[in-house]
Amino acid sequence: MRVIVCENYEQLSKEGAKLFASQMILKPNSVLGLATGSTPVGLYKHLIEMNKAGEIDFSDITSFNLDEYYPLSPENDQSYRYFMNENLFNFVNIDKARTFVPNGLSENPEEEGKNYDELIEKAGGVDIQLLGIGQNGHIGFNEPDVNLITGTHLTDLTENTIQANSRFFNSIDEVPTKAITMGMASIMKAKKIVLLASGANKKAVVSELLNDHITTNVPATLLKLHPDVVLICDKEAYGA
Ligand code: GLP
């Protein structure tokens, strides 16, 4: 795992955006793996600016998002589909028909998961996967557990995650308790992975990434098995 320590959130966002822009320039029909949460917002802003300036082109890009709350309609302003439209897709020249987010209203989540993994494979696999990290070490919504699941699946959210994500909702009771998430193998199949971590509240979990242990109690530590991961963190998350 390569580690880039940035002065602050702004620099982290720029560094991350540079990697995505380079990928898109080298391969205009790239498949991007995208993430939600507050951390990637700055990176998306930079991609929007670069697209407006004519430096990068989304017209041949396909994207797959990591996860979606369940059950939740894509029109709901708390859904990750809504988030992606508002933070990226509405402002760049991407074909929305080629932007995929798990269906939070699927009547058969098991089949939804299977189809989602098949779609990714048919698209040629993810070229570059963006990840944030939960304070408990989750990636996507792969929560700490004895067993982790390989493919895209329906999962229960832990109390810790419900608590952490309640800041985006009017009250904690409104936070969905389940989600459909890409599984650990779905994520690990990406050719390149860019993991972002910002702020002092990520310091403890980032320290788990910097040692040489792997544990399903901190799912992100499994990324140490991937040959091409870049961790971009700010000084606060790094603990410098
Ligand atoms: C959610 C998402 C994760 C994300 C995490 C961290 O739980 N499912 O993909 O990494 O939030 O969010 P933030 O970047 O706001 O700390």
Side-chain angles (χ1 to χ4, degrees):
M1 185 179 294
R2 195 156 70 87
V3 183
I4 301 176
V5 183
C6 298
E7 205 54 44
N8 50 38
Y9 177 71
E10 173 54 22
Q11 199 198 340
L12 167 153
S13 302
K14 254 191 209 158
E15 290 300 321
K18 276 201 268 181
L19 296 180
F20 273 74
S22 309
Q23 171 69 42
M24 291 169 63
I25 291 163
L26 287 169
K27 188 181 173 199
N29 63 347
S30 287
V31 177
L32 308 182
L34 300 177
T36 53
S38 49
T39 314
V41 170
L43 181 155
Y44 292 150
K45 283 202 174 114
H46 282 292
L47 293 185
I48 292 168
E49 279 167 22
M50 284 186 240
N51 183 234
K52 290 220 157 85
E55 290 161 18
I56 53 172
D57 177 18
F58 283 81
S59 61
D60 282 331
I61 292 292
T62 300
S63 73
F64 287 92
N65 261 80
L66 281 170
D67 46 15
E68 180 59 284
Y69 285 120
Y70 186 86
L72 203 64
S73 148
E75 277 88 46
N76 188 304
D77 61 8
Q78 299 291 359
S79 74
Y80 284 166
R81 160 56 73 182
Y82 191 93
F83 174 99
M84 289 310 300
N85 288 345
E86 289 294 308
N87 285 286
L88 183 66
F89 300 153
N90 286 347
F91 306 102
V92 294
N93 67 328
I94 200 163
D95 175 1
K96 278 220 187 114
R98 285 216 303 271
T99 65
F100 298 93
V101 179
N103 176 7
L105 287 182
S106 169
E107 279 172 18
N108 187 340
E110 200 177 315
E111 201 175 283
E112 169 72 18
K114 222 176 126 231
N115 292 342
Y116 201 73
D117 286 330
E118 274 171 21
L119 264 180
I120 296 174
E121 230 153 85
K122 266 193 209 140
V126 171
D127 289 301
I128 186 165
Q129 175 70 55
L130 181 61
L131 294 176
I133 185 166
Q135 286 175 45
N136 64 358
H138 74 211
I139 48 177
F141 273 129
N142 292 279
E143 299 280 38
D145 208 336
V146 176
N147 296 307
L148 300 179
I149 295 175
T150 50
T152 301
H153 61 282
L154 182 67
T155 185
D156 290 317
L157 304 183
T158 60
E159 277 309 311
N160 177 297
T161 295
I162 293 170
Q163 183 68 47
N165 289 7
S166 65
R167 67 190 196 276
F168 299 113
F169 292 79
N170 293 325
S171 87
I172 192 160
D173 304 328
E174 286 181 20
V175 187
T177 58
K178 289 180 189 291
I180 298 181
T181 181
M182 274 166 66
M184 292 303 294
S186 320
I187 293 172
M188 294 285 278
K189 279 181 193 162
K191 293 166 191 118
K192 286 181 195 307
I193 297 181
V194 178
L195 173 61
L196 303 181
S198 167
N201 62 343
K202 299 288 169 70
K203 188 175 149 186
V205 76
V206 166
S207 74
E208 298 285 341
L209 297 175
L210 301 175
N211 67 31
D212 58 1
H213 299 177
I214 292 166
T215 168
T216 58
N217 286 328
V218 186
T221 60
L222 270 79
L223 296 172
K224 294 175 197 180
L225 300 172
H226 191 285
D228 194 351
V229 180
V230 183
L231 164 65
I232 309 179
C233 53
D234 56 20
K235 277 184 163 174
E236 284 189 333
Y238 189 73

